[in-house]
């Protein structure tokens, strides 16, 4: 049972490049989340998906887009990367909004 | 005002002491409350969840919730050096289902 799997673990991008962070869960969870974590800032919600087919903005959505491809997969896309998007990105999932969130191992992204 | 607020610390306690971590939240219809522990370079892991007013104990950990005051806390008894980590408070919005985190409190337990 893999839980929540994120790819890649590490990535270096040049300013203006695009990329997609992938997230998949095998726990049959309904809700999925993307967070970014910067030093001293805790986890800030970028986008979340309460259920398959729905997505909604979090606290810091600018510069990002998401796709809930199916119940298992929730991807995060950076269309034109900026140095301000240098961060650690975490994907998480919950069975439903009220229950425990399980996290992926994180993606460390550097934009130069 | 941030939706979930914590003192970033660091909070330093001697080994064997009680560590007290606090969190306030702004959304009055919040339903679920969580404490996560995060070691440096690792993912957050759940240590406590609490859904109703009062205390909930699990081993050395006690979570306390006061919805009237919009306050949730975590007590760690008999603190150990291995408890040194960042503790994240998280709250689920009752209306939207969003899971919002505070900025985290860094705990240092000194031998």
């Amino acid at each position: 049972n893999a839980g929540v799997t994120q790819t890649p673990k590490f990535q270096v991008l040049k300013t203006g490049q695009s990329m997609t962070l992938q997230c998949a869960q095998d726990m049959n969870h309904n809700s999925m989340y993307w967070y970014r974590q910067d030093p001293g800032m805790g986890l800030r919600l970028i986008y979340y998906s309460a259920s398959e087919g729905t997505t909604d903005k979090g606290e810091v959505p600018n510069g990002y887009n998401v796709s809930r491809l199916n119940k298992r997969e929730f991807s995060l896309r950076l269309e034109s990367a900026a140095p301000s998007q240098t961060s650690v990105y975490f994907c998480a999932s919950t069975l439903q909004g009220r229950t425990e969130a399980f996290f992926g191992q994180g993606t460390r992204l550097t934009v130069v | 005002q941030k939706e979930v607020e914590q003192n970033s610390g660091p909070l330093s306690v001697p080994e064997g002491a009680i560590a007290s971590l606090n969190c306030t939240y702004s959304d009055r219809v919040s339903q679920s409350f969580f404490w996560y522990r995060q070691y440096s370079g690792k993912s957050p892991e759940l240590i406590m969840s609490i859904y109703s007013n009062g205390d909930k104990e699990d081993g050395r950990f006690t979570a306390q919730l006061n919805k009237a005051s919009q306050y949730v806390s975590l007590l760690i008894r008999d603190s150990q050096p291995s408890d040194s980590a960042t503790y994240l408070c998280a709250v689920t919005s009752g209306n939207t289902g969003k899971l919002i985190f505070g900025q985290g409190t860094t705990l240092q337990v000194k031998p």
Side-chain angles (χ1 to χ4, degrees), chain A residues 43-88:
Chain A
L43 291 165
R44 292 188 291 171
L45 182 63
I46 305 171
Y47 271 94
Y48 73 106
S49 172
S51 61
E52 184 179 356
T54 68
T55 61
D56 208 344
K57 295 178 180 179
E59 302 169 85
V60 288
N62 292 342
Y64 305 95
N65 285 300
V66 290
S67 295
R68 183 75 183 266
L69 303 170
N70 47 54
K71 192 171 186 178
R72 290 187 63 246
E73 298 172 285
F74 188 39
S75 63
L76 179 71
R77 183 160 178 84
L78 287 70
E79 291 291 351
S80 179
S84 61
Q85 294 178 304
T86 293
S87 189
V88 179

Side-chain angles (χ1 to χ4, degrees), chain A residues 35 37 48 97-98 100-101 104, chain B residues 32 36 38 43 51 92 98-99:
Chain A
Y35 295 93
Q37 187 171 36
Y48 73 106
R98 295 191 75 229
E100 173 188 1
Chain B
S32 310
Y36 287 81
Q38 186 178 28
S43 303
Y51 301 98
T92 299
K98 289 189 295 184
L99 182 62

Side-chain angles (χ1 to χ4, degrees), chain B residues 27-66:
Chain B
D27 185 353
R28 286 198 165 272
V29 297
S30 295
Q31 296 181 337
S32 310
F33 307 86
F34 306 93
W35 283 99
Y36 287 81
R37 177 176 61 200
Q38 186 178 28
Y39 293 112
S40 181
K42 301 295 186 181
S43 303
E45 56 178 340
L46 182 77
I47 51 173
M48 290 290 285
S49 60
I50 187 165
Y51 301 98
S52 55
N53 279 329
D55 295 359
K56 179 181 178 182
E57 186 174 319
D58 184 0
R60 296 186 296 112
F61 299 96
T62 298
Q64 300 173 316
L65 174 62
N66 183 326

